[in-house]
Amino acid sequence: MSSTRPRNIVIIGGGIIGSTTAYFLSHHPSYNPSRDSITILEASSIAGGASGKAGGLLALWAYPSCIVPLSFRLHRELADQHNGRERWGYREVAVGSIDLRVKKRSEARETNGDGVSLQKRSDDAVKKLQKAGVPEDLDWVDPEAVYGYEEMAGKGETAQVHPYLFTTSMAALAQEKGVKIIYGMATSINFSSSPQLNVESITYTPKPSTTSETLPATDVIVSAGPWTPQLLPRAPITALRAHSVTIRPSRPISAYALFTSIQLTTPRSTVLTAPEIYTRPNDEIYACGEGDRVVPLPPTTADVEVDLKRCEEIESTVRSVSEVLDRGEVLVRQACYLPNGGPWVGETGVRGVVLAAGHTCWGIQNAPGTGLCVSELVWEGKVKSANIKSLMPRGV
Ligand SMILES: Cc1cc2nc3c(=O)[nH]c(=O)nc-3n(C[C@H](O)[C@H](O)[C@H](O)COP(=O)(O)OP(=O)(O)OC[C@H]3O[C@@H](n4cnc5c(N)ncnc54)[C@H](O)[C@@H]3O)c2cc1C
């Protein structure tokens, strides 16, 4: 495929996959802004879905292994190149799995008065934490509640970003190189069928209008997350709703991403729960719970229904593990839909249409690797940086 013919590249979806793909397409040496156009077509807002509401953990032990090391390295390089430590909170973070047995905080207060102080640790409490293997600087969990701790990564194997800030920064850096963002909903991918299936254009409804418009396209990247099957019905991608909260603790706390297993006791029952709790550089913690399929995928990210009861359940569990979190302020209660089933990265049955979606719970980790591979596929006709044959969509 010649890189000198004019290209009109349309990326459907401004989540982390679409935005990072726009970044790499526009930073590729073959891109010539006076000849080629790159457009992100986004139905609601950049990072309005899972990409703005995820945890942001990056790990060398994530999956799939064919793209993880490349993507993990690219995250560090992007942070070095664009001041990502300041701009999107890139930093290394320790990760552990922790076993806790707690009383729901409201009940703990009833029985213990003002809760358990974490700031002044008794010798007994310190010994208990050491026995459980808890690192010394993880000083914001209730020592009485810890029944086990295990490190989940060696030094340099895990890091984190603030997903909303990372995604919007990728889109902004792409715009600086000439990428356009159009707000509107893609409704169909149009192609000629002779002599072979060849993409020609996208039909979309610009916001806030209701009249359809057409965008010519030589290349289309479908990165519409869980909405992808609405455009490519044979794409094996499903949607799972997940709730999360962010809390500002009552004092700054050390950097940890904790995979918890919590036995939570109330006067009426004991339940097992397992929220992930991550500290973030901007003085907040992020916690998410399990997914549900109670409400089907709505038309857009703006229509996602937030079940406040599910947020409160996460919140009250998190508050119970620590006084410093119990006294914290809840900043956000939110929900989004995880794109499950992939990731799928590669050409489809229609020439010029590339699928990049279905990234499961590792889309933040795997976005830069995906973006780089797609940019090579579009500009050079083949992927050079990783062997992603196993991610090729088949029959789509
Ligand atoms: C609770 C939770 C925690 C997570 N934590 C982590 C983590 O710690 N680390 C990690 O690596 N991953 C994590 N993930 C996974 C990660 O968030 C996702 O894999 C990733 O955000 C998917 O990005 P995406 O761009 O494919 O999809 P999305 O973020 O859903 O973006 C798709 C975009 O496409 C747009 N769109 C859809 N249809 C159309 C259309 N027809 N026309 C135009 N635009 C359209 C949507 O408006 C949306 O903006 C987490 C996910 C969840 C739910």
Side-chain angles (χ1 to χ4, degrees):
M1 208 180 278
S2 159
S3 63
T4 51
R5 71 183 167 99
R7 307 288 279 270
N8 294 321
I9 304 169
V10 180
I11 300 165
I12 302 177
I16 195 164
I17 301 302
S19 300
T20 309
T21 298
Y23 171 92
F24 281 103
L25 282 167
S26 60
H27 284 70
H28 191 283
S30 296
Y31 169 54
N32 176 351
S34 59
R35 182 195 60 200
D36 309 310
S37 74
I38 305 176
T39 305
I40 299 176
L41 182 58
E42 166 50 49
S44 304
S45 55
I46 299 293
S51 301
K53 298 181 168 78
L57 183 63
L58 319 175
L60 267 176
W61 39 258
Y63 57 82
S65 58
C66 62
I67 204 167
V68 164
L70 168 71
S71 210
F72 191 79
R73 172 171 61 77
L74 289 173
H75 262 295
R76 195 182 50 237
E77 289 175 6
L78 287 169
D80 290 344
Q81 240 173 305
H82 299 292
N83 194 20
R85 281 164 182 80
E86 289 289 316
R87 195 165 172 178
W88 56 77
Y90 176 90
R91 67 174 176 181
E92 285 199 4
V93 67
V95 182
S97 76
I98 193 162
D99 253 328
L100 297 160
R101 293 180 201 171
V102 296
K103 275 188 180 163
K104 211 169 180 178
R105 252 311 133 147
S106 46
E107 278 90 30
R109 271 207 214 91
E110 277 158 27
T111 49
N112 295 347
D114 208 17
V116 184
S117 170
L118 299 179
Q119 329 235 345
K120 294 177 190 147
R121 296 177 158 223
S122 68
D123 289 348
D124 274 359
V126 171
K127 274 190 204 132
K128 192 164 187 300
L129 289 174
Q130 282 169 346
K131 205 170 150 212
V134 177
E136 222 168 280
D137 65 338
L138 178 48
D139 59 356
W140 48 269
V141 287
D142 177 352
E144 300 302 323
V146 182
Y147 278 76
Y149 181 87
E150 219 175 298
E151 262 180 33
M152 287 176 67
K155 205 169 160 34
E157 286 180 353
T158 41
Q160 69 180 152
V161 295
H162 190 298
Y164 178 82
L165 297 179
F166 178 81
T167 305
T168 49
S169 297
M170 285 295 108
L173 289 165
Q175 275 182 297
E176 283 171 22
K177 288 279 184 180
V179 171
K180 282 193 233 85
I181 300 179
I182 294 181
Y183 289 97
M185 166 86 78
T187 50
S188 69
I189 300 169
N190 312 313
F191 48 89
S192 63
S193 51
S194 168
Q196 63 181 111
L197 302 183
N198 226 336
V199 72
E200 288 195 326
S201 63
I202 295 294
T203 303
Y204 73 103
T205 315
K207 259 173 81 174
S209 151
T210 49
T211 317
S212 288
E213 290 191 15
T214 300
L215 208 51
T218 55
D219 304 84
V220 172
I221 322 302
V222 186
S223 49
W227 288 272
T228 297
Q230 293 176 3
L231 292 160
L232 297 174
R234 283 189 284 177
I237 294 168
T238 56
L240 183 72
R241 187 174 67 161
H243 286 79
S244 55
V245 300
T246 66
I247 299 176
R248 170 137 308 139
S250 61
R251 65 168 167 84
I253 60 176
S254 53
Y256 276 88
L258 297 180
F259 287 74
T260 71
S261 165
I262 301 178
Q263 193 175 303
L264 181 71
T265 304
T266 72
R268 286 162 300 285
S269 63
T270 296
V271 290
L272 270 178
T273 168
E276 292 172 23
I277 307 177
Y278 304 168
T279 27
R280 282 179 167 168
N282 57 341
D283 266 350
E284 62 180 40
I285 71 114
Y286 169 92
C288 63
E290 285 165 4
D292 72 85
R293 290 202 165 84
V294 176
V295 181
L297 187 68
T300 72
T301 57
D303 306 308
V304 173
E305 207 177 288
V306 180
D307 180 346
L308 287 177
K309 218 167 147 262
R310 286 179 190 268
C311 291
E312 275 155 24
E313 274 164 21
I314 301 170
E315 194 185 313
S316 72
T317 306
V318 170
R319 286 187 182 285
S320 298
V321 308
S322 151
E323 188 182 341
V324 75
L325 298 183
D326 187 31
R327 293 180 179 215
E329 176 199 353
V330 175
L331 304 174
V332 178
R333 298 180 176 99
Q334 62 193 4
C336 63
Y337 283 78
L338 179 75
N340 252 335
W344 305 112
V345 183
E347 285 163 319
T348 65
V350 177
R351 194 160 173 249
V353 177
V354 172
L355 175 61
H359 281 67
T360 71
C361 60
W362 287 113
I364 308 302
Q365 147 67 41
N366 290 327
T370 301
L372 177 62
C373 289
V374 171
S375 76
E376 291 173 351
L377 191 58
V378 169
W379 288 119
E380 300 169 54
K382 61 174 189 286
V383 175
K384 295 184 318 195
S385 294
N387 180 350
I388 57 161
K389 282 200 180 99
S390 59
L391 311 186
M392 279 279 290
R394 276 167 243 283
V396 177

